[in-house]
Amino acid sequence: MKKIVIIGANDFQRPLIRKAKNMGYETHVFAWREGATGAADADRFYEISITEKEKILSICQKIQPDAVTTIGSDLANITVQYLAERLGLPGNSHECIINSTNKFAMRNAFQKAGLQVPFFTAVGKDEKVIPPSYPVIVKPTDRSGSRAITKVESSEELETAIQQAIAQSFEKKAIVEEYISGAEYSVETISYQGEHTLLAITKKYTTGEPHYIEVGHLEPAPLSGELQDKVKETVFAALTALKVENGAGHSELRIDENGNVRIIEIGSRMGGDCIGSDLVPLSTEQDFVGMVVDVATGNPPQIKQNAEQHVSAVHFIMNRQDLEKFHWIEANYPETVRKTVLEGDVEHCQITDSGSRPGFYILQTETMEEMNHILHRGPLENPIQLFETPVQKLRIHDGRNTFYMKRDDLLPFSFGGNKVRFARKYVENMQAEGYDSMVIYGNYHSNLCRILASLCNELSIPCYMVHNTEDVKETKETGNSRIIRRMNVHEIPCEKKNIAAAVRKAMAELTEKGFRPYYIYGNEYGQGNEWPPMKAYEEAYEEILSWEKASGTNLDYIFLASSTNATQSGLMAGKLQNKEDCKIVGISVSRNASRGKEVIENNLREYAERFSMDFPEDWEKEIEFTDSYMEGGYGAWSEPVATMIRKVYETDGVYLDMTYTGKAFYGMMKYLQEKNIQGKNILFLHTGGLPLFFDFLEDERA
């Protein structure tokens, strides 16, 4: 019987041991006993560290193997090359192994071959380096498995990152190199006598900065044919530069938004994380592990022609939410689960690198749509509960009209407000479309950001906040800001001119972590998702009609604070759909009148088209939006507004705030006075803002 020596016996090596046995080889496996789950599959297991090359060689000289190989480990690959060379077996050269296991040597080989490389340098203990720019990536020169990889943004962080990398390095050196931006991919190849074959391109998902630990992989990667060709050309040139001639190749690269392909690093072995051993055969029907055995024995790889294509993914269990998601998949889509490993304590694990992840599961589907549906299930619950908010008659008066207030500030979630209705619709939309993370926009005064941050925290989904730093200049803490900062929000501050870029950054970062992000406003320019909050307030208008009928009161006017105009647009949709005469007046707290009216009109046109609604002729003339009472702009307020807030609280026990409702209530009173409106039933929609009211009280005390 032919014999094969396999270096390594952890769970990622088991497919190789089993494949070799199925191919008729007697398997001789070397590894430490701890973590050697593949020992049970081996014909002969030798409890020897994979780094003890001479000791293993001595035993191999007695075994007289026909091949020696490994998958998924740079450290094992060094020993494989050493053994193959001394035993006269097929393999790669010593130069190839140095190039493909030492990151500094790798960059030098790329540079010598004329390939594009970033700035890089190696540094040892007590040595200094001054990068030409930041950010940079710092990592050990000779380790794999995401060990001690750090993204460094400034010189103050550099020394610590270098020392951490050196501590993990066998040769006690770190490589400092220019940070390469873009989406991350890996490429699986098989080489035989210098000829390379591309088997699969895999999309990689990581924890992101600063350590980039892999959280999952998807295969095939969703790339255009043109980009696939560019990737193939780049990787083959890099493999040749490293002198990879025989065996598996695992290339890691990034592709930026301009389609530039940049190599991160390449291993002259199969990729770990079950990419080569499991994902490649599941998605391509190619026996990658069998090819590794073929080439190790000096035979050409057996490549299946006209193989069917499928979709596969591995997801690593990093926390309790990941484990719960797996149990949900197991219960609802058991036919897609191909493999499961759970070896650690999920609740208390400290994940510092790939080796400390407590488990994973592997899925297979026939289409990418099926896979996305499973991986991105969306929120399983909607914690937002609504009720028909009360309408109260107010004691406050102007001597000419009767005032009522609809108390949406009493909605039961995160201090209430109109944004609670928005939030419920957003979650419904996320559930229907399978979104599992959220990007919000606003600032620390924002009621919307407060409510959505609280919502994401309750649902345990990631929340990125694009923070417009220009709307509010002051830096003091507010009630809303204190709540938002406690809700695990990842903030991306920006100026107005950079909002679209900041949204793109947020969406890209979440996507690279394996999520499907939901931007509350649609695309990066804040367009396309106006309908959920409008639907919320079209439905709220039905509540108003119900109150009118029950109370026998016919409203003449509805006033509200109007900022992004979604609430007013939704009320208008309800009014037009029901052919009501009640006039809806938006008091602007931020936008000028012409822009606000334009937004409302566009919102209503798109809404009518989406829901096949017919509005009355010349409905555009019914839009009433005024910027006459902004009192200094968004976040600013005047003493007359403060006086109105005090008066409403003292008269009716209702709190208003200086950013939204207080300004709108003041504007309503001025509007009625200036237009000499009298004898009318007036409804003020209280859109909330309790934390902002307490900020007002703090200012009063000061």
Side-chain angles (χ1 to χ4, degrees):
M1 177 182 285
K2 291 184 177 182
K3 302 173 184 178
I4 188 168
V5 166
I6 295 171
I7 306 301
N10 64 17
D11 201 72
F12 292 137
Q13 300 282 352
R14 294 186 77 177
L16 176 61
I17 300 168
R18 291 171 174 174
K19 173 59 65 175
K21 289 187 68 172
N22 289 339
M23 293 173 70
Y25 289 90
E26 182 178 281
T27 55
H28 295 256
V29 180
F30 293 81
W32 274 128
R33 173 67 65 177
E34 183 180 358
T37 54
D41 301 300
D43 292 306
R44 293 289 303 277
F45 177 72
Y46 305 84
E47 195 171 323
I48 301 172
S49 168
I50 63 175
T51 63
E52 296 188 65
K53 298 184 291 187
E54 294 82 2
K55 193 171 182 179
I56 296 174
L57 175 62
S58 176
I59 297 173
C60 286
Q61 287 170 336
K62 298 174 184 177
I63 297 172
Q64 294 285 302
D66 298 278
V68 56
T69 189
T70 190
I71 56 175
S73 168
D74 280 345
L75 197 57
N77 204 23
I78 294 171
T79 298
V80 166
Q81 189 280 325
Y82 172 86
L83 297 173
E85 184 176 66
R86 283 154 181 77
L87 295 170
L89 297 173
N92 286 309
S93 66
H94 179 67
E95 182 182 6
C96 168
I97 296 303
I98 294 298
N99 287 342
S100 60
T101 60
N102 185 290
K103 296 170 178 61
F104 184 68
M106 185 182 301
R107 291 293 185 206
N108 279 321
F110 290 157
Q111 193 171 62
K112 184 178 179 180
L115 299 177
Q116 184 181 13
V117 296
F119 159 80
F120 69 99
T121 188
V123 56
K125 186 179 181 181
D126 300 325
E127 294 180 347
K128 303 295 182 183
V129 60
I130 302 177
S133 62
Y134 288 92
V136 294
I137 291 290
V138 178
K139 52 191 173 184
T141 55
D142 53 2
R143 293 302 298 268
S144 58
S146 301
R147 290 178 178 87
I149 298 177
T150 307
K151 182 182 180 184
V152 175
E153 300 283 356
S154 66
S155 57
E156 291 78 14
E157 305 169 9
L158 185 59
E159 181 61 28
T160 299
I162 288 174
Q163 294 309 315
Q164 289 173 344
I166 288 174
Q168 289 288 321
S169 169
F170 294 114
E171 65 173 4
K172 300 306 175 186
K173 287 187 176 182
I175 184 170
V176 179
E177 60 186 24
E178 171 195 344
Y179 172 70
I180 299 173
S181 64
E184 193 169 349
Y185 300 85
S186 69
V187 182
E188 312 312 311
T189 55
I190 191 73
S191 300
Y192 178 67
Q193 297 181 354
E195 182 178 344
H196 313 302
T197 300
L198 189 149
L199 298 175
I201 303 174
T202 308
K203 180 72 186 76
K204 296 169 66 70
Y205 301 105
T206 75
T207 56
E209 57 186 58
H211 301 306
Y212 299 94
I213 300 169
E214 283 92 346
V215 297
H217 306 282
L218 175 68
E219 199 176 286
L223 293 176
S224 67
E226 180 181 359
L227 265 180
Q228 290 180 44
D229 290 341
K230 187 182 291 188
V231 166
K232 179 178 178 180
E233 179 183 356
T234 303
V235 167
F236 282 12
L239 289 169
T240 299
L242 298 181
K243 301 189 183 306
V244 176
E245 294 189 348
N246 294 295
H250 175 70
S251 305
E252 297 181 350
L253 53 86
R254 286 185 181 271
I255 303 176
D256 66 22
E257 58 185 12
N258 297 317
N260 297 309
V261 179
R262 305 281 298 278
I263 298 290
I264 300 174
E265 57 188 61
I266 291 180
S268 59
R269 41 82 179 171
M270 186 181 290
D273 282 358
C274 303
I275 296 173
S277 58
D278 293 84
L279 298 195
V280 171
L282 285 173
S283 61
T284 70
E285 295 189 345
Q286 299 290 356
D287 185 0
F288 196 7
V289 179
M291 295 179 193
V292 170
V293 175
D294 286 335
V295 175
T297 57
N299 297 311
Q302 299 300 305
I303 298 173
K304 185 177 180 180
Q305 303 300 318
N306 301 317
E308 291 187 13
Q309 300 298 302
H310 311 278
V311 179
S312 63
V314 58
H315 190 90
F316 293 93
I317 297 171
M318 313 285 279
N319 49 44
R320 178 178 53 82
Q321 287 78 23
D322 288 334
L323 185 59
E324 290 174 352
K325 181 176 179 179
F326 168 66
H327 289 322
W328 177 83
I329 293 172
E330 194 175 37
N332 292 276
Y333 301 95
E335 71 282 359
T336 68
V337 180
R338 294 292 177 267
K339 187 175 184 179
T340 307
V341 172
L342 186 60
E343 299 174 325
D345 182 353
V346 175
E347 290 288 344
H348 303 99
C349 63
Q350 297 294 319
I351 300 175
T352 57
D353 53 38
S354 296
S356 54
R357 298 168 302 190
F360 64 89
Y361 55 90
I362 296 174
L363 308 175
Q364 183 190 39
T365 62
E366 292 305 307
T367 67
M368 190 65 73
E369 289 76 13
E370 291 176 87
M371 184 64 75
N372 283 331
H373 178 72
I374 295 170
L375 291 178
H376 306 293
R377 63 184 185 179
L380 288 182
E381 61 176 324
N382 191 338
I384 306 291
Q385 302 298 316
L386 299 180
F387 56 74
E388 190 168 312
T389 54
V391 175
Q392 71 179 76
K393 187 175 182 179
L394 300 179
R395 293 168 59 85
I396 196 169
H397 61 86
D398 61 357
R400 297 183 294 183
N401 297 289
T402 303
F403 292 92
Y404 301 87
M405 180 181 288
K406 183 167 176 63
R407 300 291 304 276
D408 272 13
D409 58 306
L410 298 178
L411 287 168
F413 186 85
S414 187
F415 299 106
N418 63 327
K419 305 309 189 297
V420 174
R421 293 187 190 266
F422 289 15
R424 179 165 181 81
K425 287 300 176 185
Y426 286 142
V427 175
E428 288 177 1
N429 192 210
M430 292 177 72
Q431 290 174 316
E433 301 294 333
Y435 292 98
D436 51 15
S437 55
M438 185 179 283
V439 178
I440 64 180
Y441 167 77
N443 56 59
Y444 285 109
H445 279 263
S446 169
N447 291 324
L448 178 62
C449 289
R450 177 194 80 236
I451 288 168
L452 293 181
S454 301
L455 173 67
C456 290
N457 190 65
E458 181 167 344
L459 289 171
S460 297
I461 65 175
C463 180
Y464 276 48
M465 182 175 103
V466 175
H467 177 196
N468 178 355
T469 58
E470 290 187 33
D471 271 354
V472 180
K473 300 297 183 184
E474 62 189 56
T475 58
K476 72 174 183 179
E477 287 283 357
T478 66
N480 278 346
S481 71
R482 292 185 185 100
I483 294 169
I484 293 168
R485 292 186 196 281
R486 285 164 174 76
M487 295 298 133
N488 300 306
V489 169
H490 180 86
E491 178 189 358
I492 302 180
C494 67
E495 299 176 345
K496 281 185 178 180
K497 65 181 180 181
N498 297 323
I499 291 172
V503 172
R504 284 198 301 273
K505 178 182 178 182
M507 299 288 279
E509 286 187 13
L510 284 166
T511 299
E512 283 303 292
K513 292 178 180 180
F515 295 101
R516 186 168 183 237
Y518 180 87
Y519 181 39
I520 60 171
Y521 292 131
N523 63 25
E524 64 196 56
Y525 300 107
Q527 301 168 339
N529 207 37
E530 295 82 5
W531 70 267
M534 287 181 65
K535 175 60 74 173
Y537 271 89
E538 183 198 0
E539 293 174 0
Y541 194 85
E542 297 295 330
E543 291 182 20
I544 295 172
L545 293 178
S546 175
W547 173 82
E548 283 186 308
K549 184 176 181 180
S551 66
T553 303
N554 292 319
L555 295 173
D556 299 295
Y557 286 85
I558 298 174
F559 285 84
L560 72 152
S562 195
S563 177
T564 61
N565 308 119
T567 302
Q568 186 173 353
S569 298
L571 290 174
M572 285 293 298
K575 161 189 158 65
L576 295 171
Q577 181 73 357
N578 287 280
K579 298 178 173 56
E580 288 289 304
D581 294 328
C582 181
K583 191 169 187 177
I584 298 171
V585 182
I587 305 295
S588 177
V589 299
S590 57
R591 280 179 170 156
N592 64 56
S594 61
R595 176 56 179 158
K597 289 178 181 177
E598 178 186 13
V599 168
I600 294 169
E601 186 174 328
N602 289 337
N603 285 351
L604 287 165
R605 290 187 191 281
E606 293 170 7
Y607 193 78
E609 182 177 352
R610 172 183 283 271
F611 294 105
S612 302
M613 299 172 69
D614 292 321
F615 291 158
E617 189 175 350
D618 295 331
W619 59 266
E620 300 90 342
K621 296 178 181 178
E622 299 188 42
I623 298 172
E624 181 70 22
F625 177 80
T626 176
D627 59 7
S628 299
Y629 314 105
M630 289 200 294
E631 301 299 296
Y634 184 82
W637 51 287
S638 63
E639 184 55 33
V641 171
T643 299
M644 183 60 68
I645 292 173
R646 297 184 199 107
K647 187 175 181 180
V648 173
Y649 182 74
E650 292 165 2
T651 304
D652 289 280
V654 177
Y655 55 81
L656 302 174
D657 70 86
M658 58 279 200
T659 302
Y660 302 102
T661 53
K663 190 177 294 186
F665 202 97
Y666 167 77
M668 174 183 72
M669 290 301 203
K670 293 288 288 182
Y671 181 99
L672 295 171
Q673 178 186 0
E674 291 168 2
K675 295 189 178 297
N676 194 30
I677 296 171
Q678 51 189 307
K680 303 297 183 183
N681 289 321
I682 312 295
L683 178 73
F684 182 79
L685 175 62
H686 193 324
T687 52
L690 178 59
L692 295 177
F693 172 68
F694 287 109
D695 296 336
F696 170 74
L697 292 183
E698 285 187 13
D699 289 339
E700 287 279 273
R701 184 178 60 186

